[in-house]
Amino acid sequence: MSSSNPSSAPRADGRQPDQLRSVTFQNGIAPNAHGSTLTAWGDTRVICAVTVEESVPRWMKEQGVVGGWITAEYSMLPYSTLSRKARDSSRGKVDGRSTEIQRLIGRSLRAAINLEKLGPRTLWVDCDVLQADGGTRTAAITGAWVALALAVKRLMNEGKLTESPLEPAVAAVSVGSVGGRPLLDLCYTEDVAAAVDMNLVMNAEGKFIEVQGTGEEATFSRDELSAMLDLGGRGIRTLLDLQQQAVK
Ligand code: UDP
């Protein structure tokens, strides 16, 4: 096939359209956390750590809600981006994008755990971007699941849990339409060029937890949406396998 054909042109980093970047997990990166991993997706790197607090938020006590809670925080370290990103603490306000992403991470992980079985404790999920090259939210969710599974394992080893509260695993991936073709797991240059940008969060039963799909000054058809969902779904299955290998 001719390389001038847009559908066969190689991607900036030589990947196939349906190919993930190299995805790795380096566990135990933050020993004081109950579970932690440094996930690398090509040049995107995110530290994900889960810390257990043996209490629940006040609203749960006041409303008599049984079980536990998971909450997430996301930030980009100042040196993670091409030009330095000031810390929220120096700016005096939380970045709106970070707020949106940390709520997405929290929702995604709450789908991965039975909060009643977790018992009256809070899991703090901290995701800090060490290096950003597109797909930091999807790397954060996928890595956070690994940190969550490691934290649950530790709670079980310590005898604090007798039954695993884990539900089917959750992973996330980006998919987009670039130059008229669907591409899996966009890096930054592809993200900038994308006419459609999607983030999918799915579980090991093939069910959706969140679908974010946006036309960037562009529109997309139902067929294009289906193609992107199929591509993303295949990527998620690979990621779910990598997660299981990482927590073995
Ligand atoms: N980005 C950046 N500075 C920012 C926000 C984003 O450099 O303040 C870059 C970064 O590489 C990020 C990419 O833009 O991964 C895409 O950002 P987006 O908001 O789409 O989120 P992401 O793809 O990281 O989940």
Side-chain angles (χ1 to χ4, degrees):
M1 271 189 277
S2 158
S3 61
S4 61
N5 175 351
S7 62
S8 66
R11 295 170 71 172
D13 52 11
R15 278 184 291 153
Q16 296 298 314
D18 62 351
Q19 196 179 350
L20 291 168
R21 289 176 280 187
S22 149
V23 175
T24 59
F25 300 95
Q26 187 185 338
N27 296 345
I29 185 91
N32 287 340
H34 287 76
S36 66
T37 197
L38 166 62
T39 186
W41 296 36
D43 288 336
T44 286
R45 268 152 238 264
V46 185
I47 302 166
C48 304
V50 171
T51 311
V52 181
E53 195 177 279
E54 293 292 335
S55 64
V56 292
R58 206 168 72 187
W59 66 265
M60 285 185 75
K61 291 182 203 150
E62 284 170 1
Q63 294 177 30
V65 180
V66 293
W69 190 242
I70 299 191
T71 191
E73 293 192 0
Y74 164 101
S75 80
M76 297 179 106
L77 289 164
Y79 44 82
S80 66
T81 47
L82 290 174
S83 51
R84 186 179 184 275
K85 191 175 168 74
R87 293 180 196 270
D88 288 342
S89 54
S90 323
R91 295 187 330 131
K93 60 175 178 181
V94 179
D95 185 41
R97 173 180 170 275
S98 296
T99 306
E100 176 205 328
I101 293 177
Q102 66 195 25
R103 294 187 65 203
L104 171 67
I105 299 168
R107 285 195 300 276
S108 301
L109 290 200
R110 282 196 287 279
I113 201 156
N114 181 320
L115 292 174
E116 270 193 41
K117 287 187 188 165
L118 177 64
R121 47 177 66 92
T122 300
L123 302 185
W124 287 90
V125 180
D126 287 291
C127 298
D128 289 283
V129 179
L130 198 56
Q131 187 164 316
D133 184 33
T136 62
R137 78 192 66 197
T138 51
I141 292 165
T142 307
W145 184 87
V146 170
L148 173 70
L150 294 172
V152 165
K153 208 181 238 186
R154 181 154 156 193
L155 286 171
M156 297 202 58
N157 287 341
E158 290 172 352
K160 291 183 177 154
L161 283 174
T162 48
E163 187 187 1
S164 173
L166 290 178
E167 297 283 355
V170 167
V173 78
S174 74
V175 51
S177 175
V178 183
R181 62 180 178 161
L183 299 182
L184 182 67
D185 184 24
L186 306 185
C187 65
Y188 177 66
T189 49
E190 291 172 335
D191 186 280
V192 172
V196 184
D197 190 3
M198 288 192 78
N199 291 291
L200 296 183
V201 187
M202 293 176 74
N203 74 6
E205 291 180 335
K207 302 250 176 74
F208 293 102
I209 289 133
E210 189 125 346
V211 179
Q212 301 183 330
T214 323
E216 306 273 357
E217 296 171 34
T219 56
F220 52 103
S221 67
R222 191 177 280 241
D223 284 349
E224 287 170 302
L225 175 62
S226 290
M228 287 187 283
L229 293 177
D230 287 347
L231 191 58
R234 289 204 297 277
I236 298 259
R237 280 200 292 278
T238 303
L239 290 163
L240 289 163
D241 285 345
L242 293 170
Q243 285 174 319
Q244 294 304 321
Q245 288 166 29
V247 298
K248 259 191 190 142

